Every structure is written in C-alpha cells, then in structure tokens.
C-alpha cells in the first residue's frame, strides 16, 4: 500500500518518464522563479530602507547571498547525486550530477563578481584573501574541474562516473580548504575585514533576501530540468522515444 | 526616479552586479535549448540518412535481378 | 599454481618501476632542471635584494617543487596504460590499491626525491637562512608524498581520456591549496622564530590519512576510468 512511493521513484528514474515529468514541471518552476524574483527585487531595491552603515550599497546582498548559498547547495546536490550514481549506477543521477555542475559554476561566478563589486565600495578593495572568498574561488575551480573531466571522456557515462568521483573528493576538500585558509589568515595577520555586515537584519531587508533565496532555488530546478532533458535526449539518441520527439519537432 | 537609479552614489557597483546576475543566469538558461535544437537536428539528419540507405537497399535487389 | 606472496608482488612492482625510471634517467633530471630554471627567474623578476628574496624563498621553493611535480605527474601511469600492463595489474589477484601504492612510491622516489635533494640548493640561491633549512626539508618530506598520493588519484581518473595536462592542474589546484598553506606556513613560522610544529603536525596527519585512503581511492578511480 505504501509501496507507491518507491514505485513512483523507480518509474521517475526511467529517462522517457523523467523527460515528460521535467517538461511538465519546468515552466511552473520558471514562473515561480521569475515571480518570486520580481517580488524580491521590488522589495529589495525599492521598499527596503537604506542601511544606516552602508546606505544603498548593501542592496547587492539580495543577489550575492542567495547566489553564495546556491553555489554551496548545488555542490551538495551534485555530490549526493554523484554518490547515488556511483553506488547504484542510476543514469538519471549521473545526469543530475553533471548538469548541476554548470549551474553551480554560474552561481559561484556570480557570487565572486558581485562580492568584489560589493567589496570595492565597502572595504576599498576588489579582492581579499579571506577564508570565505578563497573557499568560493576554490569551489569555482572544483566545479570547472568536474565539468572539464566530464567533457574530456569520449564516453559520456564513463565521463560522468569519473567526474562524479571527483565531485565526491571535492566535497571532502572544501571544509579542509576553509579551515586551512582560516589558519593561514591568523598566521599572516593581514588586513582583517569583517565580512558579515550587520549581524541583525531588520525584517524589511530579510524578507526580500529570503524570497530571493526561494527564487534561486526554483530557478535551479527549472534550469536543471531543462538541462537534464537535453542530456537525456543526447544520451538516448538511439531509442525510439527520442526519434519520435525528433520527428514531432520537425513537423512545423 | 533618478534617485532610485543613483542608488545613493553606489550605482556604479549595484547595477553591474545585477547585470552580471541576470546575464549569467539568462545565458545559463538559454544554452541548453540551443544545444537541444542542434542535437535534434543532427539526429534528424542521421535518421534521414538511415531511411535513405534502407530505401536504396530495399529497392536495388529487384532492379539488379 | 601457487600464487606469489603479497610481499614479493609488491617488491616486483616496485623493482620494475624503479628499473624503468632508471633506464630513463633523463626524465628524472627534467623536473629538477625545471625547478632550477623557475627559481633562477625569480631574482631577475623581483630584484636581487637579500631581504626580499629571504622573505619569499620558502614559498617560491615550495611552489616550484609543486609545479615540477605536476609536470611529472602526467606520466605516472601513461606508459603502463600504453603497453597494457596497468590492465594486467587491475586483473591481478593481489589487491590493486597496494600495487598502486607501490607505483606511487616508485614515482615519488623518481621525481620528488631528486627535487628534495635539489631543494637546499634552490633555497640557498634565494638566501634562505640555514637555520630554516631543516624545517623546509621536513615540510617537503611530508608535502611531496602527499602531493604524489593526491595527484595519483587524479591521474587515475584521467587515465581513460585524451591527454590534457591543463585539466590535471585544474583538478589538482583545489586539493593542493591546504598542502601549500601548511608547508609554506611552517617555513614562514620558522623564519619568524615562531613555533612551527603545529603546521608540520597537520601535514603529518594529512599524510597518514592519505597513505591509507589515497591508494584505495586511486584504485577505485582507475576502475572507473578504465572500464568502458
């Protein structure tokens, strides 16, 4: 009776069914992302009052922090999917892991760029060798390594499995890097900058931030579904269901 | 309105940050649909070649005999 | 048919790899030469003042050794893949991790050991104080096997791909950041007269962990990369 959940999950793992499922959900996810994003932007850019310390410059927080959060969250999803892909050899898990990597890299890149655009007026420098910034940079390299390794194999599934292994090594590495850079900073006694802005945020600033976080989550799902669909088509290009799609789309 | 765009003097930092955010995400969103169209086009031409070859194979024997 | 014992299999792999390395002595000299060239360029780029060179000496030697090792890393399994002996090793009844551990040891002896012999010379060229030299050597003694072990896992992952040294560098960079930080940190601390034991201890702990885990990871990675 309670059997339908594993059964449903099992069915979802089959490429044609996931393809249709993702195709149905994707527009909704995108709509949620755009709607929530618009609300968050209005709240953050227009409604929220200027900060008493940073005046209007703090408004970068509404994209910077959600992006930073997503960069870590997507790495976590990628590592979990990689683990599933390696242990149970589920094709869909490989696709999810490998198609998460470019999205995660995009968010990491956004985090680094918006962070330095925020850092320049606030700390007077584009870049500082702080533990968080350095870890984020290392995260970008990890993403790029996973993407590069995936694409360097001729066989896609083999590449996915190798890159999944690298992703798992990487997730062990991130906390180590964070810890070691922290230690390194105490050794060098460099310019100590407080990264965390106001420790207590007023509600006017908090709700756009949380809304934006939800919007980025939905965006990730929408983008992941789109990418996974393309990847499944490419992987299964010999199968009948893909041929049917190819022929149907040629009609108009 | 212009004071909104000036962002208290920080416009030079805030608007590029938002521009990067949107440009990168839009590029990330568009890239797979371009790839999808290319893949499907390749698949269709491959299928067309296959059916052409099959047609030739089925048609040639009676002509040669 | 009697199986050869584990110890004899290990020594056989080790002896084979060392013999191969010895036959190609020119390849052993290459990383050392590379490190020498890079170290020579630094004074030209930064100026010959003693104080400046002393301050950067430890870091420059460590980074140079790391880059030289990266140069040689690509070749770790290459000839074995080309002549198929690596697949023999995968199919052998002995545990693959142990055999790979022997190969990594041979590779370390062939590339990192010459670099460590050359390191005092490189450090001397940059006027590193003699008192700091033992700390530098100790840091290198712990950091180079760590890099060999970590690098071996990544090389195994790329075993089935078209050759790309740049990809290996990209993949190794995140892993070697902590190694460089602690190794260079120990040397810098010793130079400032601060206690340097803590970073060395961290390196040692990491090495102990890597000695156990890296060969296993390497074996798993190789199995992924080779099965088609």
């Amino acid at each position: 009776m309670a059997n339908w959940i594993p059964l449903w999950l099992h069915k979802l793992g089959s490429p044609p069914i996931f393809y249709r499922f993702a195709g149905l959900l994707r527009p909704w996810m995108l709509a949620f992302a755009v709607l929530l994003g618009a609300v968050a932007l209005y709240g953050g850019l227009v409604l929220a009052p200027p900060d008493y310390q940073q005046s209007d410059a703090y408004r970068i927080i509404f994209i910077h922090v959600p992006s930073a959060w997503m960069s870590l969250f997507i790495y976590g999803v990628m590592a979990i999917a990689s683990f599933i892909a390696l242990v149970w050899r589920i094709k869909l898990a490989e696709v999810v892991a490998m198609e998460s990597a470019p999205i995660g890299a995009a968010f990491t890149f956004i985090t680094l760029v918006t962070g330095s655009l925020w850092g320049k007026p606030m700390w007077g420098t584009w870049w500082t060798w702080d533990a968080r910034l350095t870890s984020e940079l290392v995260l970008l390299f990890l993403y790029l390594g996973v993407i590069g390794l995936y694409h360097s194999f001729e066989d896609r599934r083999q590449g996915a499995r190798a890159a999944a292994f690298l992703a798992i090594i990487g997730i062990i590495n991130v906390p180590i890097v964070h810890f070691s850079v922290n230690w390194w900073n105490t050794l060098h006694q460099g310019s100590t900058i407080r990264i965390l802005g106001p420790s207590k945020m007023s509600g006017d600033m908090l709700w756009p931030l949380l809304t934006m976080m939800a919007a980025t989550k939905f965006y990730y799902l929408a983008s992941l579904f789109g990418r996974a669909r393309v990847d499944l088509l490419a992987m299964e290009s010999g199968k009948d269901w893909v041929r049917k799609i190819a022929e149907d789309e040629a009609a108009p | 309105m212009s004071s909104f765009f000036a962002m208290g003097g920080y416009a030079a930092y805030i608007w590029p940050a938002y521009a990067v955010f949107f440009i990168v995400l839009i590029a990330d969103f568009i890239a797979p649909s371009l790839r999808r169209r290319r893949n499907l086009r390749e698949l269709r031409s491959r299928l067309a070649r296959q059916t052409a070859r099959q047609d030739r194979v089925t048609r040639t024997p009676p002509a040669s005999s | 048919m009697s199986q050869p014992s584990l110890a004899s299999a290990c020594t056989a792999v080790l002896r084979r790899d060392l013999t191969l390395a010895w036959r190609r002595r020119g390849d052993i000299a290459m990383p050392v030469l590379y490190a020498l060239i890079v170290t020579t360029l630094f004074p030209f780029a930064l100026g010959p003042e003693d104080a400046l060179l002393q301050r950067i000496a430890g870091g420059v030697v460590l980074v140079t050794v790391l880059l030289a090792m990266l140069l040689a890393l690509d070749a770790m399994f290459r000839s074995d893949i080309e002549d198929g002996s690596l697949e023999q090793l995968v199919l052998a009844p002995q545990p693959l991790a142990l055999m790979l551990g022997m190969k990594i040891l041979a590779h370390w002896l062939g590339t990192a050991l010459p670099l460590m012999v050359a390191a005092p010379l490189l450090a001397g060229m940059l006027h590193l104080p003699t008192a700091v030299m033992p700390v530098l050597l100790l840091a290198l003694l712990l950091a180079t096997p760590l890099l060999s072990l970590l690098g071996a896992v990544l090389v195994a992952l790329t075993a089935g791909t078209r050759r790309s040294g740049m990809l290996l560098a990209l993949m190794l960079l995140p892993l070697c950041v902590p190694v460089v930080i602690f190794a260079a940190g120990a040397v810098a601390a010793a130079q400032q007269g601060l206690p340097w034991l803590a970073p060395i201890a961290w390196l040692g702990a990491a090495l102990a962990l890597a000695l156990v885990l890296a060969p296993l990871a390497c074996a798993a990675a190789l199995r992924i990369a080779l099965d088609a």
Side-chain angles (χ1 to χ4, degrees):
Chain A
M1 256 186 278
N3 233 0
W4 64 273
I5 296 177
L7 256 178
W8 180 75
L9 276 177
H10 201 74
K11 261 191 178 165
L12 198 60
S14 111
I17 291 177
F18 182 81
Y19 181 86
R20 230 171 305 140
F21 172 79
L24 277 178
L25 280 190
R26 186 169 177 250
W28 288 99
M29 296 296 144
L30 187 62
F32 273 127
V34 170
L35 196 71
L36 287 175
V39 170
L41 282 186
Y42 185 70
L45 290 176
V46 182
L47 295 183
D51 188 59
Y52 72 103
Q53 265 180 330
Q54 305 195 355
S55 94
D56 278 320
Y58 87 97
R59 289 183 201 276
I60 293 177
I61 202 173
F62 298 118
I63 48 175
H64 176 73
V65 171
S67 301
W69 209 43
M70 285 312 284
S71 69
L72 288 171
F73 175 81
I74 295 176
Y75 202 96
V77 171
M78 184 170 81
I80 293 169
S82 297
F83 184 77
I84 295 172
L86 283 182
V87 174
W88 289 289
R89 303 197 172 207
I90 297 173
K91 202 184 265 181
L92 188 63
E94 288 169 13
V95 170
V96 167
M98 288 307 113
E99 294 304 322
S100 288
I103 312 173
F107 273 114
T108 314
F109 177 75
I110 291 171
T111 309
L112 286 170
V113 172
T114 55
S116 63
L117 279 168
W118 193 7
K120 183 62 184 165
M122 285 303 108
W123 316 327
T125 172
W126 298 103
W127 181 260
T128 167
W129 292 97
D130 165 87
R132 289 185 191 209
L133 279 77
T134 316
S135 307
E136 197 69 21
L137 187 65
V138 168
L139 194 67
L140 182 64
F141 282 120
L142 281 172
Y143 274 124
L144 293 180
V146 168
I147 298 170
L149 187 62
Y150 175 50
H151 287 289
S152 72
F153 277 83
E154 311 229 323
D155 183 61
R156 294 180 81 104
R157 293 205 61 184
Q158 204 186 349
R161 284 159 51 69
F165 197 84
L166 183 64
I168 291 172
I169 297 175
I171 206 163
I172 304 167
N173 190 43
V174 169
I176 298 177
V177 169
H178 196 268
F179 162 74
S180 61
V181 177
N182 255 337
W183 178 84
W184 175 67
N185 264 334
T186 56
L187 179 77
H188 287 269
Q189 292 290 335
S191 51
T192 40
I193 292 162
R194 261 176 59 78
I195 299 284
L196 264 184
S199 53
K200 230 172 62 183
M201 261 183 129
S202 72
D204 293 353
M205 299 175 186
L206 195 59
W207 76 259
L209 189 62
L210 293 177
T211 315
M212 196 53 149
M213 281 182 172
T216 49
K217 281 273 189 311
F218 280 116
Y219 172 80
Y220 166 58
L221 282 177
S223 181
L224 178 66
F225 282 166
R227 284 171 176 276
R229 273 160 62 94
V230 176
D231 219 31
L232 285 174
L233 281 188
M235 257 184 178
E236 306 258 290
S237 62
K239 303 270 171 70
D240 278 344
W241 67 274
V242 180
R243 288 183 189 198
K244 216 167 143 290
I245 288 166
E247 280 156 11
D248 287 352
E249 288 200 10
Chain B
M1 202 63 189
S2 67
S3 76
F4 168 72
F5 284 112
M7 276 290 157
Y10 291 111
Y13 302 106
I14 291 183
W15 297 121
Y18 277 83
V20 166
F21 180 73
F22 284 109
I23 289 170
V24 170
L25 289 190
I26 289 170
D28 167 73
F29 203 79
I30 289 176
S33 50
L34 294 179
R35 207 174 62 190
R36 173 197 164 93
R37 205 175 302 164
R38 201 178 56 227
N39 283 348
L40 284 179
R41 201 186 306 131
E42 273 168 21
L43 180 63
R44 271 196 297 274
S45 59
R46 205 168 66 218
L47 285 176
R49 277 199 303 277
Q50 255 174 26
T51 48
R53 203 181 307 135
Q54 268 167 6
D55 282 356
R56 214 162 43 237
V57 168
T58 48
R59 219 176 299 144
T60 345
S64 64
S65 60
Chain C
M1 249 175 63
S2 67
Q3 266 185 20
S5 76
L6 207 54
S8 71
C10 285
T11 46
V13 170
L14 193 60
R15 190 182 305 134
R16 171 184 176 273
D17 274 26
L18 287 178
T19 314
L20 281 177
W22 182 247
R23 296 256 170 84
R24 282 176 301 199
R25 290 183 283 273
D27 286 3
I28 297 181
M30 281 322 238
V32 177
L33 199 61
Y34 172 81
L36 193 62
I37 292 167
V38 173
T39 318
T40 318
L41 287 176
F42 269 93
F44 290 124
L46 299 172
E49 295 106 58
D50 268 12
L52 175 68
L53 290 181
Q54 263 182 24
R55 217 171 70 72
I56 62 164
V60 167
V61 171
L62 273 163
V63 172
T64 309
V65 166
L66 185 144
L67 290 178
M69 286 188 68
L70 185 65
L71 203 67
L73 208 58
D74 199 28
M76 189 184 265
F77 298 138
R78 188 192 296 153
S79 66
D80 295 323
I81 291 170
E82 279 167 2
D83 66 13
S85 55
L86 203 61
E87 274 159 26
Q88 297 285 324
L89 213 58
V90 174
L91 296 174
Q94 282 80 19
L96 178 60
L98 206 59
M99 298 295 114
L100 289 175
M102 288 299 128
K103 290 190 83 68
I104 296 166
L105 176 63
H107 189 262
W108 181 78
L109 289 174
T111 55
L113 213 54
L115 280 169
M116 281 188 54
V117 173
L121 174 70
L122 303 180
M125 282 165 66
L126 298 173
H127 306 297
L128 190 77
T130 337
V132 185
M133 213 70 94
V135 181
L136 176 70
L137 282 179
L138 190 59
L140 279 174
L141 188 66
L142 294 171
T144 50
L146 198 52
L147 287 173
S148 281
L149 287 163
L150 293 174
V153 180
L154 301 180
V155 175
L157 272 181
T158 57
T161 66
R162 306 182 288 273
R163 287 290 141 210
S164 53
M166 202 51 223
L167 178 64
L168 203 60
L170 179 66
M171 284 158 53
L172 188 65
L173 177 100
L175 292 179
C176 67
V177 165
V179 181
V180 170
I181 284 178
F182 284 120
V187 177
Q191 230 168 332
Q192 293 166 10
L194 297 169
W196 45 266
L197 205 59
I200 290 286
W202 279 115
L203 273 182
L207 179 60
L209 206 63
L211 270 176
V212 179
L213 292 181
L216 293 171
C218 190
L222 204 60
R223 289 223 162 87
I224 290 172
L226 286 185
D227 90 38

